[in-house]
Amino acid sequence: MKDLKSQRGFSAIELLITVGIMGFVLAALYNIMISQQRTYEAQRDVSVTQRDVRAALSYLERDVRMAGLAVPRGTNPVAAFQDGTLGNPAAPDTISINFSPGPLSYLTASTVDLPGTDNIIKVDSVTGFNVGDTINIINNETNNLVGEYVISAVDSTAGDNKLSLDSNPLLDGVIDLGFLVARDFRTIIYRVETDAGTGRNELIRDDGTVQSLVVDGITDFQLSYILDDGNEVTAPADLADVRRIRMDITAATIREAARLGGAPISRQITTIVPIKNIRL
């Protein structure tokens, strides 16, 4: 005869204890999983923010390096600035930069064909030039502006590259081989604006035609200027003395998942960029 005690199952109390322990373990595992998920999302958002700040700084750095390109003598690469308040998102810095967006070409003849009618000049290349574009002709040795003209026709037939202008540049001065022909320079403005929908600050690039969002979640945008004597200031008295610019961008994560402890996580990147095209 079998022992009935050996076939006895779990009691109700044992089952309740087991279920309670399992529930406690599952709850702990769930909390760990949620915590790890939030940490992962926070780290991902921080990584995205840092990537965006780097991209924004690279974009601004490119424009600063191009500042002064195809800009005639007497026009500073840095057009204007506004000195904000350090650490105050409501009072960031602003900078305006002068440079030609291209294309660039050079004169290949010192004469003008059909002066007074078509005013044709010969250049290295007409690629990128279009009817209606405003161009500058600049003395490539002195950086002096010969004049400003509007293109009335573009011709690259018969192996010649020709631009017809609205007036005769010889009436404005002597033109010669190698003089720079460039689309009229623009002023690019970098400023911080608050988005009415999100309430977040955005770094905006405005070239006078298109306003582009560079980076979202800006908490500080600061610039300082290193002069030709090596001194670094936040408000240069003479923009012609600026040789390098220190740029400091700070942005915060914008997703709710990244708000550990109820506060966004910030990332700050700083770089110094030289101005290479100073047309003094």
Side-chain angles (χ1 to χ4, degrees):
M1 185 173 185
K2 296 181 179 180
D3 188 356
L4 295 178
K5 290 184 179 181
S6 64
Q7 298 181 8
R8 188 180 65 179
F10 294 106
S11 67
I13 294 177
E14 290 173 331
L15 287 173
L16 287 174
I17 293 174
T18 301
V19 170
I21 293 174
M22 291 180 62
F24 177 79
V25 171
L26 290 175
L29 290 175
Y30 176 78
N31 287 333
I32 292 173
M33 182 186 70
I34 293 299
S35 176
Q36 289 179 337
Q37 179 68 20
R38 288 176 177 172
T39 301
Y40 166 76
E41 291 182 0
Q43 291 174 344
R44 182 185 61 184
D45 290 343
V46 169
S47 177
V48 169
T49 298
Q50 184 165 316
R51 180 200 64 193
D52 290 348
V53 172
R54 287 188 182 278
L57 202 57
S58 296
Y59 204 52
L60 179 56
E61 181 179 352
R62 185 200 65 179
D63 281 349
V64 170
R65 287 184 182 276
M66 297 290 283
L69 178 66
V71 174
R73 178 189 292 272
T75 301
N76 291 318
V78 179
F81 72 95
Q82 175 181 312
D83 185 23
T85 303
L86 180 64
N88 184 357
D93 286 358
T94 296
I95 187 170
S96 301
I97 303 165
N98 290 324
F99 74 87
S100 172
L104 307 177
S105 189
Y106 293 91
L107 290 177
T108 58
S110 58
T111 58
V112 175
D113 295 342
L114 300 176
T117 53
D118 291 337
N119 304 306
I120 298 173
I121 59 173
K122 295 180 180 179
V123 295
D124 279 334
S125 172
V126 296
T127 301
F129 291 102
N130 300 293
V131 173
D133 285 350
T134 299
I135 64 167
N136 288 332
I137 297 180
I138 300 173
N139 185 320
N140 207 37
E141 293 182 357
T142 66
N143 296 331
N144 287 326
L145 178 68
V146 174
E148 183 180 276
Y149 312 93
V150 177
I151 298 175
S152 54
V154 178
D155 184 9
S156 60
T157 59
D160 285 333
N161 296 307
K162 302 175 181 178
L163 298 175
S164 297
L165 309 179
D166 63 335
S167 64
N168 181 3
L170 288 176
L171 298 178
D172 299 320
V174 176
I175 62 173
D176 207 345
L177 302 180
F179 276 27
L180 183 65
V181 178
R183 188 182 297 172
D184 192 24
F185 68 86
R186 297 180 182 178
T187 300
I188 310 295
I189 302 174
Y190 279 88
R191 62 175 180 268
V192 176
E193 295 182 351
T194 302
D195 185 275
T198 64
R200 295 191 296 267
N201 288 337
E202 302 171 340
L203 181 61
I204 302 296
R205 180 184 188 269
D206 185 353
D207 66 2
T209 302
V210 178
Q211 296 186 29
S212 305
L213 169 62
V214 180
V215 64
D216 192 6
I218 289 288
T219 57
D220 206 4
F221 178 55
Q222 294 295 321
L223 304 167
S224 59
Y225 305 87
I226 302 173
L227 309 180
D228 56 355
D229 61 4
N231 288 326
E232 184 170 347
V233 299
T234 58
D238 188 348
L239 292 174
D241 294 335
V242 176
R243 295 296 181 270
R244 291 177 291 167
I245 300 177
R246 184 189 302 275
M247 301 180 293
D248 190 323
I249 299 179
T250 306
T253 51
I254 59 178
R255 288 171 55 105
E256 291 293 335
R259 298 195 173 187
L260 301 179
I265 302 172
S266 295
R267 283 296 179 266
Q268 176 182 3
I269 300 180
T270 302
T271 189
I272 297 177
V273 184
I275 298 177
K276 296 186 175 182
N277 299 288
I278 300 173
R279 319 284 286 192
L280 301 178

